Amino acid sequence: MQPADLIYPTLVYIHLLLFVLWLGADVGVFLLGQHFRKRNVYTLDQRIALLKLLVIVDLTPRTAWALMVPLSLTVSHMGGWWDLPVPIVGAAWCISAFWLWLVFDAHSHDMTPRAAQRRKWEGWLRYVLAAGYIFLGTESILTGYPIAIGWLAWKALLFGLIFVAAIMIDVSFKPVGPMLGKLLADGSSDETELPLLCAMNRTRIWVWCVYVLLLATAWLGVVKPG
């Protein structure tokens, strides 16, 4: 086997590895959030420490998500599954690099106007990508173009729906910030804890949607039905 023959299977392996990191780290984020809710088990300081750890662990699925976009297109192109022009693949890698910069720059300057601006730009980028993937998948399922292979078209659609569910996680989690501020200022009580619990419960619904969609997308990629 020539070294060049290893490129495609290596990319497939990395693609699978990103799925494992995305789902595995996301489960870790979910479990940290579950323990944060247990005010009868942990002190407030311990719960805040769990939340800080949650934010750090959450960088892993966000990184995997951003890398999954260009890597999946590269695998589709190199595997002959989709005759995608090379410049589009290259543009996808540039978009991914910009996305990753937004994620880590916002994290590095958290709680500042700069971080808020970066997250706003990231939000618009995800809206555009969500719409693009949903249109791509739907159009390909209905017409067989630009993606002719059925399972790959469905995978594109489901990936777009993952974007939607992940966006809704952030939307549902947005009120948590001010609620945490009130919790820290006023202390733990039903008045400060119950609204926070309700907001986190709403977020969990979308988290489960992401898990189901990720598993379905992975199944399509491995089994390749039809």
Side-chain angles (χ1 to χ4, degrees), residues 135-206:
F135 174 78
L136 173 66
T138 303
E139 181 71 11
S140 298
I141 291 168
L142 294 176
T143 67
Y145 182 85
I147 301 175
I149 299 174
W151 64 264
L152 188 58
W154 277 102
K155 192 176 178 182
L157 176 59
L158 292 180
F159 195 48
L161 293 178
I162 289 173
F163 271 86
V164 173
I167 288 168
M168 289 307 301
I169 290 175
D170 287 347
V171 171
S172 302
F173 200 76
K174 193 172 183 178
V176 169
M179 292 176 183
L180 279 173
K182 184 174 177 60
L183 174 64
L184 291 173
D186 300 342
S188 179
S189 66
D190 286 346
E191 182 181 356
T192 57
E193 294 278 5
L194 292 180
L196 181 60
L197 182 62
C198 289
M200 295 186 78
N201 284 340
R202 286 192 295 270
T203 303
R204 290 170 66 196
I205 297 171
W206 296 107

Side-chain angles (χ1 to χ4, degrees), residues 6 9 18 33 39 60 100 115 131 139 144 146 172 185 188 190 201 210 219:
L6 296 175
L18 285 181
R39 59 172 168 150
T60 300
L100 286 172
E139 181 71 11
S172 302
S188 179
D190 286 346
N201 284 340
V210 169
W219 182 83

Side-chain angles (χ1 to χ4, degrees), residues 13 45 60 66 69 72 89 92 115 132 144-145 154 156 160 175-176 179 198 211 214 217 219 221 224-225:
Y13 167 76
D45 286 342
T60 300
V69 173
S72 61
V89 178
Y145 182 85
W154 277 102
V176 169
M179 292 176 183
C198 289
Y211 292 167
L214 271 174
T217 303
W219 182 83
K224 299 177 176 57

Side-chain angles (χ1 to χ4, degrees), residues 4-225:
D5 296 332
L6 296 175
I7 296 176
Y8 175 70
T10 300
L11 289 175
V12 172
Y13 167 76
I14 296 173
H15 184 64
L16 182 60
L17 184 62
L18 285 181
F19 165 76
V20 173
L21 290 172
W22 186 348
L23 184 58
D26 224 321
V27 170
V29 170
F30 179 80
L31 292 175
L32 287 168
Q34 289 293 98
H35 282 275
F36 171 81
R37 295 149 53 93
K38 299 179 180 180
R39 59 172 168 150
N40 296 326
V41 176
Y42 302 102
T43 66
L44 183 56
D45 286 342
Q46 289 173 328
R47 293 167 66 207
I48 295 302
L50 287 172
L51 203 59
K52 290 179 179 179
L53 182 59
L54 181 153
V55 172
I56 295 173
V57 174
D58 190 47
L59 288 174
T60 300
R62 289 181 181 273
T63 300
W65 186 13
L67 289 173
M68 193 69 84
V69 173
L71 187 60
S72 61
L73 294 180
T74 304
V75 169
S76 297
H77 171 75
M78 293 193 65
W81 303 107
W82 183 15
D83 188 19
L84 195 61
V86 173
I88 293 181
V89 178
W93 282 104
C94 293
I95 291 171
S96 175
F98 177 64
W99 186 357
L100 286 172
W101 175 75
L102 291 176
V103 169
F104 282 92
D105 192 66
H107 177 75
S108 299
H109 300 87
D110 200 19
M111 306 297 290
T112 66
R114 174 171 174 165
Q117 182 190 58
R118 299 296 184 266
R119 290 188 176 112
K120 185 177 181 179
W121 291 356
E122 185 194 357
W124 283 111
L125 177 62
R126 289 185 296 171
Y127 293 150
V128 171
L129 290 173
Y133 270 100
I134 290 173
F135 174 78
L136 173 66
T138 303
E139 181 71 11
S140 298
I141 291 168
L142 294 176
T143 67
Y145 182 85
I147 301 175
I149 299 174
W151 64 264
L152 188 58
W154 277 102
K155 192 176 178 182
L157 176 59
L158 292 180
F159 195 48
L161 293 178
I162 289 173
F163 271 86
V164 173
I167 288 168
M168 289 307 301
I169 290 175
D170 287 347
V171 171
S172 302
F173 200 76
K174 193 172 183 178
V176 169
M179 292 176 183
L180 279 173
K182 184 174 177 60
L183 174 64
L184 291 173
D186 300 342
S188 179
S189 66
D190 286 346
E191 182 181 356
T192 57
E193 294 278 5
L194 292 180
L196 181 60
L197 182 62
C198 289
M200 295 186 78
N201 284 340
R202 286 192 295 270
T203 303
R204 290 170 66 196
I205 297 171
W206 296 107
V207 170
W208 282 109
C209 288
V210 169
Y211 292 167
V212 171
L213 289 167
L214 271 174
L215 291 172
T217 303
W219 182 83
L220 287 172
V222 172
V223 177
K224 299 177 176 57

